Amino acid sequence: MPETPDPDAAQTPLSRRALRAARARGEAPAPQAPGEEATPVAASEPTAAPEPASEPAPAAPEPAAAESAAPTPAPEPEPEATAPEPATSAEPQATAPIAATPDQAGALSWLRDASADDAERGGDAPEPATRSTLADAAAGDAPGRGEASGSLDDLFGSSATPPKKRRGSGCLIAFVIVLALVGGVVAGGVWAWNTYGERIMEQLGLDGPSDYEPGEATGEALLTIEEGDTGSSISPKLYEAGVTLEPDSFYDYLVENAQAPTFYPGTYRLQQKMTSEAALAALEDPANKLENTAQLREGLTVEQSLPILAEGIGLPLEEFEAAVADPSVYGVQADSLEGWLFPATYTFEPDTSAQDVIRTLVNRTIESLDSAGVPEGDRHRILTIASIIQREGRFEDDFYKVSRVIQNRLDPANPETSGLLQMDSTAQYGVGEMHEGEVWSSEEALTDDNPWNTYVHPGLPIGPIANPGDLAIDAAMHPADGPWLYFTAVNLDPGESKFSETLAEHEQGVAELREWCAANPDYGC
């Protein structure tokens, strides 16, 4: 009788690689479902000598799902690789049930854990484990297991990192609400500060000083007071000259201390960084008034300028009248110095003569003409145009538009105005009405046959009608682009002018001015 395997003897489990190879050849049993007992199989026929491994019996069909309780016949086991013992009996013996290998047990454990994790995360439950899935897991197809692994520790030694709990949207909503509240508070604070911040600072005394401290005064500053200046108009002049700390410092001081001083025209020598109190004292001190200083504003005529020069410099008016009698003394080829006494503030030494004063003013005009790029042979014409612009325009933009109207009317291709400028300022200058402050020109001014009357004579008048400044000279050189042929003031406050192409549009503007004058009789209309 041949020896039969001892059913109780422990079987040496195959390695994972050997097990997989045996299964591929159909020589190893398929994995068992949990709790299922193996079906006994018959032993192979003994042989007297070692033979090559016989052809394995066909493998049993793959079992259905593990739920099936009916056992199925298992394939015959492969004979041991060792030499067989001598046969002692021909009776077949039943082999012991094939126990689940560690690989199979580990695979089953992994599938159970995965199912539990999915259930905890709310995922779909996995399909029931079958023998084929157990076999695949044991063969190394479990997640996270590479084919090159060589031990069970590689398969079961680590566990999947538990998923992080997803934070809800509540934190984000709370953050947005807090951000909105903070933004609202900040926006409200900005609005309140912009609206009431200055008042709050004043009430708390935190708005900073409004005046320089005593003892800070230094250097020198010149201030010119014109006829009609008051505390409110002098205050910003002091600030611009660097005398006071703020534009309103001087005026606020006068109001807070109930001061009502009398200011006299002239130029005064002060210091920078003075207190308002010290500045007032300096303006009231005759010793600070510069006797040899005079200021000429834009648009004055020679007749208006000479008395200002005589008073400011302290020379007799007759000396100035004699000084302007011959323009050729100063290189001016004209019958008069009209337009050549440049408007500015001048200070002279006490021994300066009237002729030296006039020469200084004429040279300043030449300097302005050269700066504007006026050719020397064209100086007289540009000064004539600039003087009309200075008298007719009120605002900077108007200066350049008036210059264009003059050019359009002088254009020989313009048939509408026949080359007549028809400027009231020139007609008034010709009859001496320029200084009377009248808005409307008299019939005499419009019809008098003098060389300045542009209602009668085409082209430019024979010479300038006033002393133009830098802006008017620049406008004469660079007229604005436009088709205008007419313009008129439509009110005297703020002094708006209307420019038009046709006579009908111009007459509408004149009608507006008449209506405004009728409603405002105090403006000298």
Side-chain angles (χ1 to χ4, degrees):
M1 296 285 295
E3 290 186 6
T4 59
D6 186 359
D8 298 329
Q11 295 183 356
T12 303
L14 297 175
S15 68
R16 183 174 61 84
R17 183 171 298 177
L19 180 61
R20 290 174 59 188
R23 285 183 186 148
R25 296 191 303 270
E27 299 172 351
Q32 303 287 327
E36 182 179 10
E37 294 182 1
T39 303
V41 295
S44 60
E45 287 292 327
T47 57
E51 293 287 339
S54 62
E55 202 64 23
E62 193 72 14
E67 289 85 345
S68 175
T72 56
E76 293 183 1
E78 181 185 6
E80 291 292 333
T82 57
E85 295 290 335
T88 57
S89 174
E91 296 180 6
Q93 299 292 329
T95 61
I98 299 175
T101 66
D103 280 336
Q104 294 173 334
L108 177 61
S109 175
W110 176 84
L111 288 174
R112 286 175 178 171
D113 292 343
S115 176
D117 287 344
D118 286 344
E120 180 179 352
R121 291 194 299 267
D124 295 335
E127 295 182 359
T130 63
R131 293 185 179 183
S132 61
T133 58
L134 289 174
D136 291 342
D141 293 331
R145 177 70 181 264
E147 292 186 359
S149 300
S151 68
L152 294 179
D153 290 339
D154 293 335
L155 178 62
F156 303 105
S158 62
S159 60
T161 302
K164 296 183 179 179
K165 293 184 178 180
R166 300 175 62 184
R167 296 182 179 272
S169 61
C171 293
L172 177 59
I173 296 175
F175 174 75
V176 171
I177 293 175
V178 171
L179 185 62
L181 292 175
V182 173
V185 171
V186 172
V190 171
W191 173 85
W193 182 258
N194 291 338
T195 306
Y196 303 106
E198 185 175 348
R199 298 180 186 177
I200 295 173
M201 294 293 285
E202 290 179 356
Q203 292 297 325
L204 297 177
L206 301 176
D207 57 332
S210 60
D211 215 341
Y212 288 113
E213 295 292 331
E216 292 188 64
T218 183
E220 180 179 284
L222 298 179
L223 176 73
T224 299
I225 296 178
E226 301 179 31
E227 189 71 35
D229 271 347
T230 63
S232 61
S233 60
I234 293 174
S235 186
K237 290 183 179 181
L238 288 169
Y239 169 74
E240 292 172 1
V243 177
T244 54
L245 182 61
E246 300 290 344
D248 296 330
S249 297
F250 185 73
Y251 181 71
D252 290 345
Y253 170 79
L254 297 179
V255 173
E256 293 171 3
N257 293 276
Q259 297 285 335
T262 299
F263 298 102
Y264 298 95
T267 301
Y268 295 81
R269 180 183 287 111
L270 307 175
Q271 288 184 288
Q272 295 181 346
K273 297 185 178 181
M274 299 179 72
T275 64
S276 296
E277 180 180 6
L280 176 60
L283 293 176
E284 293 180 323
D285 186 354
N288 292 319
K289 185 179 179 181
L290 303 179
E291 297 296 340
N292 299 322
T293 299
Q295 183 183 56
L296 301 178
R297 61 180 176 82
E298 293 88 346
L300 295 179
T301 63
V302 172
E303 183 181 354
Q304 291 174 308
S305 301
L306 296 184
I308 297 174
L309 294 172
E311 181 179 355
I313 299 174
L315 295 174
L317 177 59
E318 293 78 14
E319 293 187 18
F320 283 102
E321 291 174 341
V324 300
D326 185 5
S328 63
V329 174
Y330 312 102
V332 176
Q333 304 302 315
D335 296 335
S336 168
L337 285 178
E338 196 72 84
W340 288 87
L341 304 183
F342 193 83
T345 299
Y346 301 93
T347 301
F348 299 96
E349 296 296 328
D351 58 348
T352 303
S353 67
Q355 193 175 76
D356 291 337
V357 171
I358 298 301
R359 180 175 286 104
T360 300
L361 274 58
V362 171
N363 289 341
R364 178 62 180 83
T365 299
I366 295 174
E367 178 183 336
S368 179
L369 292 170
D370 290 344
S371 297
V374 180
E376 183 175 351
D378 207 23
R379 289 173 177 174
H380 184 75
R381 185 183 72 88
I382 292 298
L383 278 179
T384 301
I385 296 174
S387 67
I388 299 173
I389 295 172
Q390 189 72 65
R391 293 295 301 181
E392 294 285 352
R394 182 165 184 177
F395 301 109
E396 181 174 341
D397 288 345
D398 291 347
F399 278 35
Y400 294 90
K401 289 182 179 180
V402 171
S403 180
R404 172 50 62 189
V405 171
I406 293 173
Q407 297 300 328
N408 289 345
R409 280 178 166 264
L410 294 176
D411 187 354
N414 165 33
E416 185 165 343
T417 59
S418 303
L420 294 172
L421 292 183
Q422 297 178 317
M423 299 288 177
D424 282 41
S425 58
T426 63
Q428 292 173 358
Y429 180 86
V431 297
E433 292 181 358
M434 201 168 187
H435 316 310
E436 296 181 4
E438 294 290 336
V439 176
W440 311 103
S441 298
S442 66
E443 184 68 20
E444 178 188 4
L446 297 176
T447 59
D448 188 77
D449 189 17
N450 65 73
W452 286 276
N453 190 351
T454 57
Y455 278 89
V456 175
H457 303 284
L460 292 172
I462 63 171
I465 61 173
N467 300 321
D470 287 323
L471 180 62
I473 293 174
D474 185 73
M477 290 291 292
H478 307 96
D481 292 331
W484 314 292
L485 293 172
Y486 305 89
F487 69 91
T488 180
V490 294
N491 58 62
L492 302 183
D493 186 10
E496 179 185 2
S497 296
K498 178 174 290 187
F499 292 79
S500 54
E501 297 181 49
T502 66
L503 180 60
E505 293 173 344
H506 174 67
E507 288 177 344
Q508 291 177 2
V510 174
E512 289 184 40
L513 176 61
R514 292 186 184 278
E515 292 178 4
W516 188 90
C517 286
N520 299 273
D522 296 336
Y523 278 82
C525 292

